[in-house]
Amino acid sequence: MVTFAEEKNHDMNRNYFALAFVLLLVFAACTVKPGHQHGSESADSPYAKLFGEVMAVHDEVMPQMSRIYDLKKSLAEKTETLGDAAADMEMRGKIDAAMAALDNADKEMMDWMHNFQDPGEGDMEKAKEYLTKEKEKIDNVKKVIDEGIQMAESLLN
């Protein structure tokens, strides 16, 4: 005869295995890039080098997206403490400008991620041209993010 505790423990183990399986599938899906054939290029190829540079900037700025969210929340909270005095109205304008800069930074990053596509190595000249343009775009996104964060932090410190 199976006790309630044993049955509950068995159900929990089954749930853990299901969760582990789902996480394994998610991890596997995240490691395969659409349109990318693994093993078709060497790590030393010009394509791999340029692709790595683009992804390095992306990987550097992606964690800052949560910082943007936190700053927007802090700025909104600071706005709530302001009154109607002229100095407060001036601060409110600065906070609005910082919020707009953070919103723009967020939008720029989301747009870049939505539009970026791994060109693969089919036509190396086209791939190099595409990745060079994308490197410029993601560098610009980084600049916009850094400026928005700096503007917000200067109002909160």
mmCIF file of all heavy atoms in Angstrom, residues 7-48:
data_model
loop_
_atom_site.group_PDB
_atom_site.id
_atom_site.type_symbol
_atom_site.label_atom_id
_atom_site.label_comp_id
_atom_site.label_asym_id
_atom_site.label_seq_id
_atom_site.Cartn_x
_atom_site.Cartn_y
_atom_site.Cartn_z
ATOM 1 N N GLU A 7 3.256 8.931 -2.345
ATOM 2 C CA GLU A 7 2.631 9.317 -3.612
ATOM 3 C C GLU A 7 2.976 10.775 -3.955
ATOM 4 O O GLU A 7 3.298 11.102 -5.090
ATOM 5 C CB GLU A 7 1.124 9.145 -3.522
ATOM 6 C CG GLU A 7 0.418 9.391 -4.844
ATOM 7 C CD GLU A 7 -1.069 9.115 -4.731
ATOM 8 O OE1 GLU A 7 -1.453 8.117 -4.101
ATOM 9 O OE2 GLU A 7 -1.821 9.923 -5.296
ATOM 10 N N LYS A 8 2.932 11.644 -2.950
ATOM 11 C CA LYS A 8 3.253 13.050 -3.161
ATOM 12 C C LYS A 8 4.717 13.205 -3.574
ATOM 13 O O LYS A 8 5.048 13.967 -4.470
ATOM 14 C CB LYS A 8 2.967 13.843 -1.882
ATOM 15 C CG LYS A 8 3.112 15.317 -2.049
ATOM 16 C CD LYS A 8 2.710 16.044 -0.791
ATOM 17 C CE LYS A 8 2.876 17.539 -0.978
ATOM 18 N NZ LYS A 8 2.523 18.286 0.196
ATOM 19 N N ASN A 9 5.619 12.447 -2.924
ATOM 20 C CA ASN A 9 7.033 12.479 -3.253
ATOM 21 C C ASN A 9 7.260 11.999 -4.686
ATOM 22 O O ASN A 9 8.047 12.581 -5.428
ATOM 23 C CB ASN A 9 7.819 11.628 -2.255
ATOM 24 C CG ASN A 9 9.320 11.811 -2.409
ATOM 25 O OD1 ASN A 9 9.776 12.849 -2.861
ATOM 26 N ND2 ASN A 9 10.064 10.796 -2.045
ATOM 27 N N HIS A 10 6.553 10.971 -5.101
ATOM 28 C CA HIS A 10 6.671 10.455 -6.463
ATOM 29 C C HIS A 10 6.208 11.505 -7.472
ATOM 30 O O HIS A 10 6.849 11.730 -8.502
ATOM 31 C CB HIS A 10 5.855 9.164 -6.604
ATOM 32 C CG HIS A 10 5.843 8.595 -7.989
ATOM 33 N ND1 HIS A 10 6.994 8.308 -8.682
ATOM 34 C CD2 HIS A 10 4.824 8.287 -8.818
ATOM 35 C CE1 HIS A 10 6.689 7.840 -9.874
ATOM 36 N NE2 HIS A 10 5.369 7.820 -9.982
ATOM 37 N N ASP A 11 5.113 12.218 -7.167
ATOM 38 C CA ASP A 11 4.607 13.274 -8.046
ATOM 39 C C ASP A 11 5.620 14.419 -8.155
ATOM 40 O O ASP A 11 5.827 14.976 -9.230
ATOM 41 C CB ASP A 11 3.265 13.819 -7.553
ATOM 42 C CG ASP A 11 2.126 12.839 -7.781
ATOM 43 O OD1 ASP A 11 2.293 11.902 -8.599
ATOM 44 O OD2 ASP A 11 1.078 13.011 -7.131
ATOM 45 N N MET A 12 6.251 14.769 -7.021
ATOM 46 C CA MET A 12 7.247 15.840 -7.038
ATOM 47 C C MET A 12 8.442 15.436 -7.893
ATOM 48 O O MET A 12 8.947 16.248 -8.676
ATOM 49 C CB MET A 12 7.696 16.188 -5.624
ATOM 50 C CG MET A 12 6.682 17.007 -4.856
ATOM 51 S SD MET A 12 7.159 17.405 -3.162
ATOM 52 C CE MET A 12 8.828 17.945 -3.329
ATOM 53 N N ASN A 13 8.895 14.192 -7.766
ATOM 54 C CA ASN A 13 10.016 13.722 -8.576
ATOM 55 C C ASN A 13 9.673 13.773 -10.055
ATOM 56 O O ASN A 13 10.492 14.168 -10.880
ATOM 57 C CB ASN A 13 10.411 12.295 -8.187
ATOM 58 C CG ASN A 13 11.166 12.250 -6.872
ATOM 59 O OD1 ASN A 13 11.730 13.249 -6.452
ATOM 60 N ND2 ASN A 13 11.168 11.093 -6.226
ATOM 61 N N ARG A 14 8.460 13.400 -10.400
ATOM 62 C CA ARG A 14 8.015 13.440 -11.786
ATOM 63 C C ARG A 14 8.010 14.890 -12.288
ATOM 64 O O ARG A 14 8.410 15.154 -13.415
ATOM 65 C CB ARG A 14 6.628 12.813 -11.906
ATOM 66 C CG ARG A 14 6.321 12.348 -13.273
ATOM 67 C CD ARG A 14 5.080 11.525 -13.380
ATOM 68 N NE ARG A 14 4.285 11.556 -12.164
ATOM 69 C CZ ARG A 14 3.053 11.139 -12.080
ATOM 70 N NH1 ARG A 14 2.450 10.659 -13.107
ATOM 71 N NH2 ARG A 14 2.391 11.192 -10.949
ATOM 72 N N ASN A 15 7.567 15.819 -11.438
ATOM 73 C CA ASN A 15 7.562 17.235 -11.817
ATOM 74 C C ASN A 15 8.987 17.753 -12.019
ATOM 75 O O ASN A 15 9.232 18.531 -12.934
ATOM 76 C CB ASN A 15 6.845 18.084 -10.770
ATOM 77 C CG ASN A 15 5.354 17.854 -10.781
ATOM 78 O OD1 ASN A 15 4.784 17.396 -11.762
ATOM 79 N ND2 ASN A 15 4.709 18.177 -9.671
ATOM 80 N N TYR A 16 9.914 17.336 -11.163
ATOM 81 C CA TYR A 16 11.312 17.766 -11.319
ATOM 82 C C TYR A 16 11.897 17.240 -12.628
ATOM 83 O O TYR A 16 12.613 17.951 -13.324
ATOM 84 C CB TYR A 16 12.172 17.314 -10.144
ATOM 85 C CG TYR A 16 11.944 18.104 -8.887
ATOM 86 C CD1 TYR A 16 11.661 17.477 -7.685
ATOM 87 C CD2 TYR A 16 12.006 19.493 -8.895
ATOM 88 C CE1 TYR A 16 11.448 18.205 -6.527
ATOM 89 C CE2 TYR A 16 11.800 20.229 -7.743
ATOM 90 C CZ TYR A 16 11.516 19.577 -6.565
ATOM 91 O OH TYR A 16 11.319 20.307 -5.423
ATOM 92 N N PHE A 17 11.594 15.981 -12.958
ATOM 93 C CA PHE A 17 12.097 15.433 -14.213
ATOM 94 C C PHE A 17 11.496 16.162 -15.401
ATOM 95 O O PHE A 17 12.184 16.448 -16.381
ATOM 96 C CB PHE A 17 11.804 13.929 -14.313
ATOM 97 C CG PHE A 17 12.694 13.096 -13.446
ATOM 98 C CD1 PHE A 17 12.166 12.268 -12.480
ATOM 99 C CD2 PHE A 17 14.078 13.139 -13.581
ATOM 100 C CE1 PHE A 17 12.979 11.499 -11.667
ATOM 101 C CE2 PHE A 17 14.902 12.379 -12.785
ATOM 102 C CZ PHE A 17 14.348 11.556 -11.817
ATOM 103 N N ALA A 18 10.226 16.501 -15.340
ATOM 104 C CA ALA A 18 9.578 17.239 -16.424
ATOM 105 C C ALA A 18 10.210 18.624 -16.565
ATOM 106 O O ALA A 18 10.490 19.080 -17.676
ATOM 107 C CB ALA A 18 8.075 17.351 -16.172
ATOM 108 N N LEU A 19 10.452 19.284 -15.439
ATOM 109 C CA LEU A 19 11.077 20.595 -15.469
ATOM 110 C C LEU A 19 12.488 20.503 -16.046
ATOM 111 O O LEU A 19 12.882 21.329 -16.880
ATOM 112 C CB LEU A 19 11.122 21.207 -14.071
ATOM 113 C CG LEU A 19 11.810 22.564 -13.953
ATOM 114 C CD1 LEU A 19 11.081 23.615 -14.783
ATOM 115 C CD2 LEU A 19 11.887 22.990 -12.506
ATOM 116 N N ALA A 20 13.242 19.519 -15.628
ATOM 117 C CA ALA A 20 14.605 19.340 -16.132
ATOM 118 C C ALA A 20 14.584 19.091 -17.639
ATOM 119 O O ALA A 20 15.408 19.635 -18.386
ATOM 120 C CB ALA A 20 15.291 18.179 -15.416
ATOM 121 N N PHE A 21 13.628 18.322 -18.117
ATOM 122 C CA PHE A 21 13.508 18.043 -19.545
ATOM 123 C C PHE A 21 13.195 19.322 -20.323
ATOM 124 O O PHE A 21 13.796 19.603 -21.358
ATOM 125 C CB PHE A 21 12.435 16.976 -19.789
ATOM 126 C CG PHE A 21 12.257 16.627 -21.239
ATOM 127 C CD1 PHE A 21 13.224 15.899 -21.910
ATOM 128 C CD2 PHE A 21 11.136 17.043 -21.930
ATOM 129 C CE1 PHE A 21 13.074 15.592 -23.246
ATOM 130 C CE2 PHE A 21 10.973 16.735 -23.265
ATOM 131 C CZ PHE A 21 11.939 16.008 -23.932
ATOM 132 N N VAL A 22 12.263 20.113 -19.815
ATOM 133 C CA VAL A 22 11.896 21.369 -20.477
ATOM 134 C C VAL A 22 13.096 22.311 -20.513
ATOM 135 O O VAL A 22 13.375 22.939 -21.533
ATOM 136 C CB VAL A 22 10.684 22.031 -19.781
ATOM 137 C CG1 VAL A 22 10.478 23.448 -20.270
ATOM 138 C CG2 VAL A 22 9.433 21.196 -20.011
ATOM 139 N N LEU A 23 13.817 22.413 -19.396
ATOM 140 C CA LEU A 23 15.001 23.277 -19.357
ATOM 141 C C LEU A 23 16.070 22.791 -20.341
ATOM 142 O O LEU A 23 16.737 23.603 -20.989
ATOM 143 C CB LEU A 23 15.567 23.357 -17.948
ATOM 144 C CG LEU A 23 14.707 24.128 -16.942
ATOM 145 C CD1 LEU A 23 15.295 24.012 -15.544
ATOM 146 C CD2 LEU A 23 14.563 25.575 -17.352
ATOM 147 N N LEU A 24 16.219 21.498 -20.476
ATOM 148 C CA LEU A 24 17.163 20.943 -21.430
ATOM 149 C C LEU A 24 16.770 21.324 -22.851
ATOM 150 O O LEU A 24 17.606 21.722 -23.660
ATOM 151 C CB LEU A 24 17.237 19.417 -21.286
ATOM 152 C CG LEU A 24 18.177 18.701 -22.254
ATOM 153 C CD1 LEU A 24 19.618 19.117 -21.971
ATOM 154 C CD2 LEU A 24 18.018 17.205 -22.117
ATOM 155 N N LEU A 25 15.484 21.247 -23.171
ATOM 156 C CA LEU A 25 15.012 21.643 -24.500
ATOM 157 C C LEU A 25 15.250 23.124 -24.751
ATOM 158 O O LEU A 25 15.670 23.517 -25.845
ATOM 159 C CB LEU A 25 13.524 21.321 -24.662
ATOM 160 C CG LEU A 25 13.142 19.852 -24.782
ATOM 161 C CD1 LEU A 25 11.630 19.697 -24.837
ATOM 162 C CD2 LEU A 25 13.792 19.230 -25.994
ATOM 163 N N VAL A 26 14.971 23.954 -23.752
ATOM 164 C CA VAL A 26 15.190 25.395 -23.898
ATOM 165 C C VAL A 26 16.669 25.674 -24.122
ATOM 166 O O VAL A 26 17.044 26.451 -25.010
ATOM 167 C CB VAL A 26 14.665 26.171 -22.666
ATOM 168 C CG1 VAL A 26 15.138 27.614 -22.674
ATOM 169 C CG2 VAL A 26 13.151 26.099 -22.617
ATOM 170 N N PHE A 27 17.520 25.037 -23.344
ATOM 171 C CA PHE A 27 18.959 25.231 -23.508
ATOM 172 C C PHE A 27 19.413 24.807 -24.896
ATOM 173 O O PHE A 27 20.161 25.518 -25.555
ATOM 174 C CB PHE A 27 19.728 24.444 -22.438
ATOM 175 C CG PHE A 27 21.221 24.534 -22.601
ATOM 176 C CD1 PHE A 27 21.893 25.700 -22.277
ATOM 177 C CD2 PHE A 27 21.943 23.465 -23.091
ATOM 178 C CE1 PHE A 27 23.259 25.789 -22.430
ATOM 179 C CE2 PHE A 27 23.309 23.547 -23.256
ATOM 180 C CZ PHE A 27 23.969 24.711 -22.921
ATOM 181 N N ALA A 28 18.924 23.686 -25.358
ATOM 182 C CA ALA A 28 19.296 23.207 -26.686
ATOM 183 C C ALA A 28 18.823 24.172 -27.766
ATOM 184 O O ALA A 28 19.544 24.458 -28.722
ATOM 185 C CB ALA A 28 18.708 21.813 -26.927
ATOM 186 N N ALA A 29 17.636 24.706 -27.616
ATOM 187 C CA ALA A 29 17.103 25.647 -28.603
ATOM 188 C C ALA A 29 17.917 26.934 -28.617
ATOM 189 O O ALA A 29 18.097 27.547 -29.666
ATOM 190 C CB ALA A 29 15.641 25.952 -28.307
ATOM 191 N N CYS A 30 18.399 27.355 -27.472
ATOM 192 C CA CYS A 30 19.160 28.607 -27.390
ATOM 193 C C CYS A 30 20.555 28.476 -27.966
ATOM 194 O O CYS A 30 21.180 29.471 -28.296
ATOM 195 C CB CYS A 30 19.254 29.078 -25.940
ATOM 196 S SG CYS A 30 17.688 29.652 -25.292
ATOM 197 N N THR A 31 21.065 27.270 -28.098
ATOM 198 C CA THR A 31 22.424 27.111 -28.587
ATOM 199 C C THR A 31 22.488 26.968 -30.094
ATOM 200 O O THR A 31 23.558 27.019 -30.670
ATOM 201 C CB THR A 31 23.102 25.881 -27.947
ATOM 202 O OG1 THR A 31 22.337 24.714 -28.254
ATOM 203 C CG2 THR A 31 23.247 26.059 -26.461
ATOM 204 N N VAL A 32 21.363 26.833 -30.769
ATOM 205 C CA VAL A 32 21.339 26.700 -32.217
ATOM 206 C C VAL A 32 20.854 28.011 -32.810
ATOM 207 O O VAL A 32 19.777 28.473 -32.502
ATOM 208 C CB VAL A 32 20.412 25.535 -32.655
ATOM 209 C CG1 VAL A 32 20.348 25.469 -34.164
ATOM 210 C CG2 VAL A 32 20.900 24.229 -32.072
ATOM 211 N N LYS A 33 21.693 28.608 -33.651
ATOM 212 C CA LYS A 33 21.314 29.870 -34.288
ATOM 213 C C LYS A 33 20.580 29.561 -35.584
ATOM 214 O O LYS A 33 21.036 28.732 -36.367
ATOM 215 C CB LYS A 33 22.560 30.704 -34.587
ATOM 216 C CG LYS A 33 23.310 31.135 -33.378
ATOM 217 C CD LYS A 33 24.494 31.975 -33.796
ATOM 218 C CE LYS A 33 25.599 31.800 -32.814
ATOM 219 N NZ LYS A 33 26.633 30.921 -33.190
ATOM 220 N N PRO A 34 19.439 30.235 -35.846
ATOM 221 C CA PRO A 34 18.724 30.010 -37.092
ATOM 222 C C PRO A 34 19.618 30.313 -38.291
ATOM 223 O O PRO A 34 20.344 31.301 -38.304
ATOM 224 C CB PRO A 34 17.568 31.015 -37.034
ATOM 225 C CG PRO A 34 17.447 31.398 -35.601
ATOM 226 C CD PRO A 34 18.803 31.208 -34.996
ATOM 227 N N GLY A 35 19.559 29.447 -39.277
ATOM 228 C CA GLY A 35 20.319 29.667 -40.489
ATOM 229 C C GLY A 35 21.812 29.412 -40.329
ATOM 230 O O GLY A 35 22.591 29.709 -41.221
ATOM 231 N N HIS A 36 22.201 28.868 -39.205
ATOM 232 C CA HIS A 36 23.620 28.667 -38.937
ATOM 233 C C HIS A 36 23.915 27.184 -38.988
ATOM 234 O O HIS A 36 23.282 26.395 -38.299
ATOM 235 C CB HIS A 36 23.959 29.216 -37.547
ATOM 236 C CG HIS A 36 25.420 29.231 -37.267
ATOM 237 N ND1 HIS A 36 26.255 30.184 -37.779
ATOM 238 C CD2 HIS A 36 26.190 28.411 -36.528
ATOM 239 C CE1 HIS A 36 27.486 29.958 -37.360
ATOM 240 N NE2 HIS A 36 27.467 28.896 -36.603
ATOM 241 N N GLN A 37 24.880 26.799 -39.813
ATOM 242 C CA GLN A 37 25.261 25.401 -39.911
ATOM 243 C C GLN A 37 26.513 25.194 -39.078
ATOM 244 O O GLN A 37 27.571 25.739 -39.395
ATOM 245 C CB GLN A 37 25.520 25.027 -41.366
ATOM 246 C CG GLN A 37 24.296 25.174 -42.227
ATOM 247 C CD GLN A 37 24.610 24.880 -43.679
ATOM 248 O OE1 GLN A 37 25.730 24.573 -44.043
ATOM 249 N NE2 GLN A 37 23.596 24.959 -44.514
ATOM 250 N N HIS A 38 26.363 24.425 -38.027
ATOM 251 C CA HIS A 38 27.498 24.190 -37.146
ATOM 252 C C HIS A 38 28.568 23.386 -37.861
ATOM 253 O O HIS A 38 28.276 22.479 -38.619
ATOM 254 C CB HIS A 38 27.048 23.444 -35.883
ATOM 255 C CG HIS A 38 26.205 24.301 -35.001
ATOM 256 N ND1 HIS A 38 26.741 25.275 -34.213
ATOM 257 C CD2 HIS A 38 24.866 24.368 -34.820
ATOM 258 C CE1 HIS A 38 25.785 25.890 -33.556
ATOM 259 N NE2 HIS A 38 24.634 25.355 -33.911
ATOM 260 N N GLY A 39 29.785 23.760 -37.590
ATOM 261 C CA GLY A 39 30.908 23.035 -38.158
ATOM 262 C C GLY A 39 31.264 23.491 -39.555
ATOM 263 O O GLY A 39 32.217 23.012 -40.144
ATOM 264 N N SER A 40 30.517 24.436 -40.134
ATOM 265 C CA SER A 40 30.795 24.841 -41.498
ATOM 266 C C SER A 40 31.879 25.908 -41.573
ATOM 267 O O SER A 40 32.401 26.178 -42.625
ATOM 268 C CB SER A 40 29.517 25.354 -42.173
ATOM 269 O OG SER A 40 29.064 26.520 -41.522
ATOM 270 N N GLU A 41 32.181 26.546 -40.454
ATOM 271 C CA GLU A 41 33.217 27.573 -40.471
ATOM 272 C C GLU A 41 34.194 27.296 -39.347
ATOM 273 O O GLU A 41 33.862 26.683 -38.356
ATOM 274 C CB GLU A 41 32.623 28.973 -40.322
ATOM 275 C CG GLU A 41 32.237 29.357 -38.914
ATOM 276 C CD GLU A 41 30.923 28.763 -38.425
ATOM 277 O OE1 GLU A 41 30.104 28.363 -39.230
ATOM 278 O OE2 GLU A 41 30.761 28.678 -37.201
ATOM 279 N N SER A 42 35.401 27.791 -39.532
ATOM 280 C CA SER A 42 36.362 27.646 -38.450
ATOM 281 C C SER A 42 36.281 28.891 -37.583
ATOM 282 O O SER A 42 35.814 29.939 -38.015
ATOM 283 C CB SER A 42 37.780 27.478 -39.020
ATOM 284 O OG SER A 42 38.235 28.720 -39.522
ATOM 285 N N ALA A 43 36.737 28.774 -36.372
ATOM 286 C CA ALA A 43 36.698 29.900 -35.442
ATOM 287 C C ALA A 43 37.602 31.029 -35.918
ATOM 288 O O ALA A 43 37.469 32.156 -35.471
ATOM 289 C CB ALA A 43 37.106 29.433 -34.056
ATOM 290 N N ASP A 44 38.525 30.733 -36.831
ATOM 291 C CA ASP A 44 39.466 31.730 -37.321
ATOM 292 C C ASP A 44 38.998 32.409 -38.601
ATOM 293 O O ASP A 44 39.673 33.304 -39.097
ATOM 294 C CB ASP A 44 40.837 31.081 -37.578
ATOM 295 C CG ASP A 44 41.462 30.535 -36.304
ATOM 296 O OD1 ASP A 44 41.171 31.091 -35.222
ATOM 297 O OD2 ASP A 44 42.219 29.564 -36.397
ATOM 298 N N SER A 45 37.864 32.015 -39.136
ATOM 299 C CA SER A 45 37.409 32.601 -40.395
ATOM 300 C C SER A 45 37.029 34.060 -40.180
ATOM 301 O O SER A 45 36.641 34.456 -39.082
ATOM 302 C CB SER A 45 36.221 31.817 -40.954
ATOM 303 O OG SER A 45 35.041 32.121 -40.227
ATOM 304 N N PRO A 46 37.144 34.876 -41.224
ATOM 305 C CA PRO A 46 36.746 36.281 -41.104
ATOM 306 C C PRO A 46 35.283 36.413 -40.680
ATOM 307 O O PRO A 46 34.936 37.299 -39.904
ATOM 308 C CB PRO A 46 36.960 36.844 -42.512
ATOM 309 C CG PRO A 46 37.902 35.909 -43.175
ATOM 310 C CD PRO A 46 37.687 34.576 -42.539
ATOM 311 N N TYR A 47 34.443 35.527 -41.179
ATOM 312 C CA TYR A 47 33.024 35.536 -40.809
ATOM 313 C C TYR A 47 32.875 35.323 -39.306
ATOM 314 O O TYR A 47 32.174 36.079 -38.636
ATOM 315 C CB TYR A 47 32.266 34.449 -41.577
ATOM 316 C CG TYR A 47 30.892 34.217 -41.022
ATOM 317 C CD1 TYR A 47 29.837 35.025 -41.427
ATOM 318 C CD2 TYR A 47 30.662 33.238 -40.065
ATOM 319 C CE1 TYR A 47 28.574 34.842 -40.901
ATOM 320 C CE2 TYR A 47 29.409 33.056 -39.533
ATOM 321 C CZ TYR A 47 28.366 33.856 -39.956
ATOM 322 O OH TYR A 47 27.124 33.684 -39.420
ATOM 323 N N ALA A 48 33.514 34.285 -38.777
ATOM 324 C CA ALA A 48 33.384 33.961 -37.352
ATOM 325 C C ALA A 48 33.930 35.092 -36.491
ATOM 326 O O ALA A 48 33.347 35.429 -35.451
ATOM 327 C CB ALA A 48 34.114 32.656 -37.042
#
